[in-house]
Amino acid sequence: MQGATREGAARPRRRGASLAFDWLLAALAHLFVFASWAVTVSAVMGSAMVGRMMLMNSEFAYDTGRLPQPWVIPLGVVAIVVSHLLFRGAMRRYTRGAPAYGPSVVAWSGIWLGVAWGAYNWPGPIQVGRRVGPHSGQSAPWDLFVWVAYYARLWLPGLVTLVTAALWLFSRHSPLVVLLRAIRRRGDERFVRRRAAPAAS
């Protein structure tokens, strides 16, 4: 009897430890997806900065020291693929079946951070409204396309923010939506049990 009691008492601890490990693995998978997209997109924004500065200035005048270098992009793509595979495996393990949601919303959160950080670190032009060469001193007025590139520091993060917020609020792959649905489902189940209890008695 004592041996059976000790064995029965040990089982919940093993289940609790396994659940904690599954939760930690899922949390790390979320972080891996988020970070891989954020770093990769930051590197893409650093490369896009070069073209943006070429449009706004007549000659090269940019600083890439605050953003990841272009060689980070292929490594980031590999990290993205691995992180998505890890995410799906971790979520299947956590839910003991099909994953509750995919990594897309978490990935978009990383994209949002990469775009926001990259745009924040984009340097400004030598002169707003004119293409000025820092060495030759020649200048020409901006056209519409250059103005769009100039204000990309504002409208691009804003656009990504709207998309990311919409996905968090409405996507079936949103952790927030899945959590709210689970809370509502549990509430409905409790309501049904309470209605059924007087009838059974």
Side-chain angles (χ1 to χ4, degrees):
M1 290 292 293
Q2 291 180 351
T5 303
R6 291 175 181 174
E7 183 180 359
R11 284 175 182 171
R13 285 197 294 270
R14 285 200 296 270
R15 287 199 296 269
S18 177
L19 181 62
F21 175 79
D22 294 345
W23 184 92
L24 178 61
L25 185 62
L28 290 175
H30 281 70
L31 181 61
F32 191 15
V33 171
F34 176 84
S36 62
W37 276 100
V39 173
T40 304
V41 172
S42 294
V44 173
M45 292 292 287
S47 299
M49 176 182 63
V50 177
R52 179 173 178 267
M53 295 303 295
M54 290 173 62
L55 286 174
M56 295 189 302
N57 300 325
S58 297
E59 300 163 3
F60 277 20
Y62 59 89
D63 174 20
T64 59
R66 291 167 292 179
L67 291 170
Q69 299 299 308
W71 59 264
V72 177
I73 297 176
L75 296 180
V77 171
V78 174
I80 287 171
V81 173
V82 173
S83 68
H84 280 232
L85 293 175
L86 176 63
F87 184 95
R88 292 188 175 92
M91 291 301 291
R92 286 193 179 94
R93 178 183 174 90
Y94 184 78
T95 59
R96 296 296 189 267
Y101 51 84
S104 59
V105 176
V106 180
W108 267 99
S109 301
I111 293 172
W112 169 81
L113 179 61
V115 170
W117 176 251
Y120 174 78
N121 284 286
W122 275 348
I126 297 174
Q127 181 178 342
V128 176
R130 299 194 70 84
R131 300 186 63 191
V132 179
H135 300 298
S136 65
Q138 298 176 353
S139 64
W142 285 359
D143 57 22
L144 179 61
F145 189 69
V146 181
W147 280 107
V148 171
Y150 172 70
Y151 283 109
R153 187 174 184 178
L154 299 177
W155 64 260
L156 185 57
L159 178 62
V160 176
T161 299
L162 290 176
V163 173
T164 305
L167 291 175
W168 270 97
L169 293 175
F170 305 111
S171 174
R172 64 185 179 88
H173 293 289
S174 168
L176 178 62
V177 171
V178 172
L179 176 61
L180 293 177
R181 287 178 178 175
I183 293 174
R184 181 179 179 181
R185 184 167 57 252
R186 290 179 183 178
D188 293 342
E189 291 174 353
R190 290 177 182 175
F191 178 76
V192 171
R193 286 197 298 267
R194 288 175 183 176
R195 291 289 299 270
S201 59

